[in-house]
Amino acid sequence: MTDVLTERGAPVNIRHADRLFINGTWVLPTSNSGFDVIDAGTEETFFRVAEAGPQDMDAAIAAARYAFDHSPWPFLEPQVRGEYLRKLAAGLRERSSETGTFWSRQAGVLFSMSQVAISRVSNTLDYHADLAATYPFEAQATPEFAPFGVVVKEPIGVVGAIVPWNTPLSLAIHKLAPALLAGCTVVLKAPPEAPGELYVLAEIAEEIGLPAGVLNVVTADREVSEQLVRDPRVDKISFTGSSGVGRRIASIVGERVARYTLELGGKSAAVIFDDYDIATAAKTLSAAECSLNGQVCMSLTRVIVTKARHDEMAEALGSIFGSVRVGDPFDAGSQLGPLAMGRQRDRVLGYVQKGIDEGATLVTGGHRPAHLERGFYVEPTVFANVDNNSTIAQEEIFGPVLSIIAADNEEHAIELANGTVYGLNSAVFTNDNDRAYHAARRLRSGTVGHNGFKTDQLMGVGGFKQSGVGREGGLQGLLPYLESKTVLLDGAPSRFQ
């Protein structure tokens, strides 16, 4: 057992950090290489995990393939698979402080926030367990040319699930819950920067007796991850991450007509109509951007207001966002923690410089906080007078950086909001519900919130344009893991009599 004890957050431990979870057991990798996981707040090594090589990934895929083709798992009654989901949910609830600590130390998320967000993960598993009893996996039909017909929903097969470092456990569960309920088997590729919570998940899977090969968890770099995408034994890829990587995955799986779901990047707009209070909007947007320190693909980073109100919004956002307390994620007084890693901090600061170079007005922030000597921190940053065609208005920054863009009128504001290759999220701020709904129907994004950052996983999350393909969450998120089969018989089997 490898113990990782800390005064920062809850005590945590990983029992098999030097191993990979393949075919229901913890196995040593084929090489001695591994990944150092860095604490975002201290820049020190937190722990080290095994790195999967090509042979290890091959073994994980083989285990998932065998479990799907030769074990009872795909043919169990959905309620039986649902009970495994409930046990996973219970196990995660018991270790929520531990998984929250991993998340905060790896990604810099405020510990107070991680405890609340982690608690919702188990709810997703329970929701899918409930679906086992209500979803029509078998729907009898009245065929035109046969005495009996039924449309059955069967598991799509072996799923390769790839999640990023910003919210690995939550995103993994939004893939695993529907996949396992459907009867699929899974190879879960953990991010090298943040594998802790997924090791905990694998330990729980072992403890509850999840059948061998149904869930395999490996940590790998990009080259070995691409092996998972290319392997013909994998029937579907479910990926969350950048649009650039998503495009590559789509091109690879398209060659073999494999299924895929992609939840990709965003450059989401908050459209502020003239009837809405500027100070209230600024406070709401600032608070939302502190969530995960801006490392959220759905962040409302483009703030669009009419020209007459541009300067008022710049002053309000600069004052509120600029006064956010940046500090250790385990300090109760902190409102914004560090970014997840040094390269991410450098990336964000590079975009800040690009914004200045391209003529935007830096209202506040844009530097490393002077009072913090260690940690991957960036000051909350606001730009004004941002051209909608500029780099910082078009490319995903993934940090606490807001851009204010001026519109001529309401129609122009909608046009500006839609003027990117992305379409993941958006919001409209107005006191008029009808006006909000009318604007929501014209905004080209997968989710539209009213007067704030809003999302609902049970209603489905996903994007238009280059923000993705398909949906995750709720009933919409279950369907991509199922194939429809039409069965035509000369008479009704006993199951339907």
Side-chain angles (χ1 to χ4, degrees), residues 441-466:
R441 294 301 305 271
R442 291 151 61 206
L443 289 166
R444 297 280 295 164
S445 62
T447 298
V448 182
H450 185 195
N451 297 339
F453 176 96
K454 296 179 181 179
T455 182
D456 192 315
Q457 286 285 352
L458 297 187
M459 292 177 67
V461 172
F464 288 20
K465 300 184 279 186
Q466 292 189 28

Short mmCIF file of all heavy atoms in Angstrom, two decimals, residues 441-466:
data_model
loop_
_atom_site.label_atom_id
_atom_site.label_comp_id
_atom_site.label_asym_id
_atom_site.label_seq_id
_atom_site.Cartn_x
_atom_site.Cartn_y
_atom_site.Cartn_z
N ARG A 441 -33.05 30.92 -28.39
CA ARG A 441 -33.28 30.16 -29.60
C ARG A 441 -32.38 30.61 -30.74
O ARG A 441 -32.17 29.87 -31.71
CB ARG A 441 -34.76 30.28 -30.03
CG ARG A 441 -35.75 29.64 -29.06
CD ARG A 441 -35.47 28.15 -28.86
NE ARG A 441 -35.44 27.42 -30.09
CZ ARG A 441 -36.52 26.87 -30.67
NH1 ARG A 441 -37.70 26.98 -30.08
NH2 ARG A 441 -36.42 26.21 -31.79
N ARG A 442 -31.84 31.80 -30.65
CA ARG A 442 -30.95 32.31 -31.70
C ARG A 442 -29.48 32.10 -31.40
O ARG A 442 -28.63 32.24 -32.29
CB ARG A 442 -31.24 33.80 -31.92
CG ARG A 442 -32.60 34.05 -32.56
CD ARG A 442 -33.18 35.38 -32.16
NE ARG A 442 -32.34 36.50 -32.56
CZ ARG A 442 -32.31 37.67 -31.96
NH1 ARG A 442 -33.09 37.88 -30.90
NH2 ARG A 442 -31.54 38.64 -32.38
N LEU A 443 -29.16 31.79 -30.16
CA LEU A 443 -27.76 31.53 -29.80
C LEU A 443 -27.39 30.11 -30.19
O LEU A 443 -28.07 29.15 -29.81
CB LEU A 443 -27.55 31.76 -28.31
CG LEU A 443 -27.60 33.22 -27.86
CD1 LEU A 443 -27.74 33.32 -26.34
CD2 LEU A 443 -26.35 33.96 -28.33
N ARG A 444 -26.29 29.97 -30.92
CA ARG A 444 -25.87 28.67 -31.43
C ARG A 444 -24.96 27.98 -30.44
O ARG A 444 -23.73 27.93 -30.59
CB ARG A 444 -25.16 28.86 -32.78
CG ARG A 444 -26.03 29.45 -33.87
CD ARG A 444 -26.93 28.40 -34.49
NE ARG A 444 -26.12 27.38 -35.18
CZ ARG A 444 -26.60 26.20 -35.53
NH1 ARG A 444 -27.84 25.86 -35.24
NH2 ARG A 444 -25.81 25.34 -36.16
N SER A 445 -25.57 27.44 -29.38
CA SER A 445 -24.80 26.73 -28.38
C SER A 445 -25.63 25.63 -27.76
O SER A 445 -26.87 25.69 -27.77
CB SER A 445 -24.30 27.69 -27.28
OG SER A 445 -25.38 28.28 -26.60
N GLY A 446 -24.96 24.62 -27.22
CA GLY A 446 -25.65 23.47 -26.66
C GLY A 446 -26.43 23.76 -25.41
O GLY A 446 -27.41 23.07 -25.10
N THR A 447 -26.01 24.76 -24.66
CA THR A 447 -26.72 25.19 -23.45
C THR A 447 -26.81 26.70 -23.45
O THR A 447 -25.87 27.39 -23.84
CB THR A 447 -25.97 24.73 -22.18
OG1 THR A 447 -25.92 23.30 -22.14
CG2 THR A 447 -26.68 25.22 -20.92
N VAL A 448 -27.96 27.22 -23.03
CA VAL A 448 -28.13 28.65 -22.84
C VAL A 448 -28.72 28.87 -21.45
O VAL A 448 -29.77 28.32 -21.13
CB VAL A 448 -29.06 29.28 -23.90
CG1 VAL A 448 -29.16 30.79 -23.67
CG2 VAL A 448 -28.56 28.98 -25.31
N GLY A 449 -28.03 29.67 -20.64
CA GLY A 449 -28.52 29.99 -19.31
C GLY A 449 -29.14 31.37 -19.28
O GLY A 449 -28.87 32.21 -20.13
N HIS A 450 -29.98 31.60 -18.28
CA HIS A 450 -30.63 32.89 -18.11
C HIS A 450 -30.08 33.56 -16.86
O HIS A 450 -30.17 33.00 -15.76
CB HIS A 450 -32.15 32.69 -17.99
CG HIS A 450 -32.95 33.94 -17.94
ND1 HIS A 450 -34.26 33.98 -17.53
CD2 HIS A 450 -32.62 35.24 -18.25
CE1 HIS A 450 -34.71 35.22 -17.58
NE2 HIS A 450 -33.73 36.00 -18.02
N ASN A 451 -29.46 34.70 -17.04
CA ASN A 451 -28.92 35.51 -15.94
C ASN A 451 -27.83 34.81 -15.14
O ASN A 451 -27.71 34.98 -13.93
CB ASN A 451 -30.05 35.97 -15.00
CG ASN A 451 -31.06 36.85 -15.70
OD1 ASN A 451 -30.76 37.45 -16.73
ND2 ASN A 451 -32.25 36.93 -15.15
N GLY A 452 -27.03 33.99 -15.83
CA GLY A 452 -25.90 33.38 -15.15
C GLY A 452 -25.40 32.13 -15.85
O GLY A 452 -25.99 31.66 -16.82
N PHE A 453 -24.31 31.61 -15.32
CA PHE A 453 -23.74 30.34 -15.78
C PHE A 453 -24.64 29.22 -15.26
O PHE A 453 -24.77 29.02 -14.05
CB PHE A 453 -22.32 30.18 -15.25
CG PHE A 453 -21.68 28.86 -15.58
CD1 PHE A 453 -20.85 28.75 -16.68
CD2 PHE A 453 -21.91 27.74 -14.80
CE1 PHE A 453 -20.25 27.53 -16.99
CE2 PHE A 453 -21.32 26.52 -15.11
CZ PHE A 453 -20.49 26.42 -16.20
N LYS A 454 -25.27 28.49 -16.18
CA LYS A 454 -26.17 27.43 -15.77
C LYS A 454 -25.98 26.21 -16.66
O LYS A 454 -25.76 26.33 -17.86
CB LYS A 454 -27.63 27.91 -15.83
CG LYS A 454 -27.92 29.04 -14.84
CD LYS A 454 -29.35 29.53 -14.91
CE LYS A 454 -29.54 30.68 -13.91
NZ LYS A 454 -30.91 31.23 -13.95
N THR A 455 -26.06 25.05 -16.03
CA THR A 455 -25.97 23.80 -16.77
C THR A 455 -26.74 22.74 -16.02
O THR A 455 -26.92 22.85 -14.80
CB THR A 455 -24.50 23.37 -16.95
OG1 THR A 455 -24.44 22.17 -17.72
CG2 THR A 455 -23.82 23.12 -15.62
N ASP A 456 -27.21 21.74 -16.72
CA ASP A 456 -27.95 20.66 -16.09
C ASP A 456 -27.59 19.36 -16.79
O ASP A 456 -28.02 19.09 -17.91
CB ASP A 456 -29.46 20.92 -16.19
CG ASP A 456 -30.26 19.97 -15.30
OD1 ASP A 456 -29.96 18.76 -15.29
OD2 ASP A 456 -31.19 20.44 -14.61
N GLN A 457 -26.78 18.55 -16.10
CA GLN A 457 -26.30 17.32 -16.71
C GLN A 457 -27.43 16.36 -17.03
O GLN A 457 -27.36 15.59 -17.99
CB GLN A 457 -25.30 16.63 -15.77
CG GLN A 457 -23.95 17.30 -15.70
CD GLN A 457 -23.10 17.04 -16.93
OE1 GLN A 457 -23.44 16.24 -17.78
NE2 GLN A 457 -21.97 17.73 -17.02
N LEU A 458 -28.51 16.38 -16.25
CA LEU A 458 -29.60 15.45 -16.51
C LEU A 458 -30.42 15.83 -17.74
O LEU A 458 -31.14 15.01 -18.29
CB LEU A 458 -30.52 15.36 -15.28
CG LEU A 458 -29.86 14.82 -14.01
CD1 LEU A 458 -30.88 14.62 -12.91
CD2 LEU A 458 -29.12 13.51 -14.29
N MET A 459 -30.28 17.08 -18.19
CA MET A 459 -30.94 17.51 -19.42
C MET A 459 -30.03 17.32 -20.63
O MET A 459 -30.48 17.47 -21.77
CB MET A 459 -31.36 18.97 -19.31
CG MET A 459 -32.47 19.21 -18.31
SD MET A 459 -32.89 20.96 -18.14
CE MET A 459 -33.58 21.32 -19.77
N GLY A 460 -28.76 17.02 -20.39
CA GLY A 460 -27.81 16.80 -21.47
C GLY A 460 -26.87 17.98 -21.66
O GLY A 460 -27.28 19.13 -21.60
N VAL A 461 -25.60 17.66 -21.88
CA VAL A 461 -24.57 18.68 -22.10
C VAL A 461 -23.78 18.31 -23.35
O VAL A 461 -23.40 17.15 -23.54
CB VAL A 461 -23.63 18.77 -20.89
CG1 VAL A 461 -22.44 19.68 -21.20
CG2 VAL A 461 -24.36 19.29 -19.66
N GLY A 462 -23.54 19.29 -24.18
CA GLY A 462 -22.76 19.08 -25.40
C GLY A 462 -22.76 20.34 -26.22
O GLY A 462 -23.33 21.36 -25.81
N GLY A 463 -22.12 20.30 -27.37
CA GLY A 463 -21.93 21.53 -28.11
C GLY A 463 -22.33 21.49 -29.57
O GLY A 463 -22.45 20.43 -30.18
N PHE A 464 -22.55 22.68 -30.11
CA PHE A 464 -22.70 22.89 -31.54
C PHE A 464 -21.30 23.08 -32.15
O PHE A 464 -20.32 23.28 -31.45
CB PHE A 464 -23.51 24.15 -31.82
CG PHE A 464 -24.99 24.07 -31.51
CD1 PHE A 464 -25.50 23.12 -30.65
CD2 PHE A 464 -25.87 24.97 -32.08
CE1 PHE A 464 -26.85 23.05 -30.36
CE2 PHE A 464 -27.22 24.93 -31.81
CZ PHE A 464 -27.72 23.97 -30.95
N LYS A 465 -21.25 23.04 -33.45
CA LYS A 465 -20.02 23.36 -34.21
C LYS A 465 -18.81 22.59 -33.67
O LYS A 465 -18.92 21.37 -33.42
CB LYS A 465 -19.80 24.88 -34.21
CG LYS A 465 -20.96 25.65 -34.87
CD LYS A 465 -20.70 27.15 -34.97
CE LYS A 465 -20.96 27.88 -33.69
NZ LYS A 465 -20.85 29.35 -33.85
N GLN A 466 -17.68 23.26 -33.46
CA GLN A 466 -16.47 22.55 -33.05
C GLN A 466 -16.41 22.32 -31.54
O GLN A 466 -15.36 21.94 -31.01
CB GLN A 466 -15.23 23.30 -33.52
CG GLN A 466 -15.06 23.28 -35.02
CD GLN A 466 -13.73 23.83 -35.49
OE1 GLN A 466 -12.72 23.76 -34.78
NE2 GLN A 466 -13.69 24.37 -36.70
#
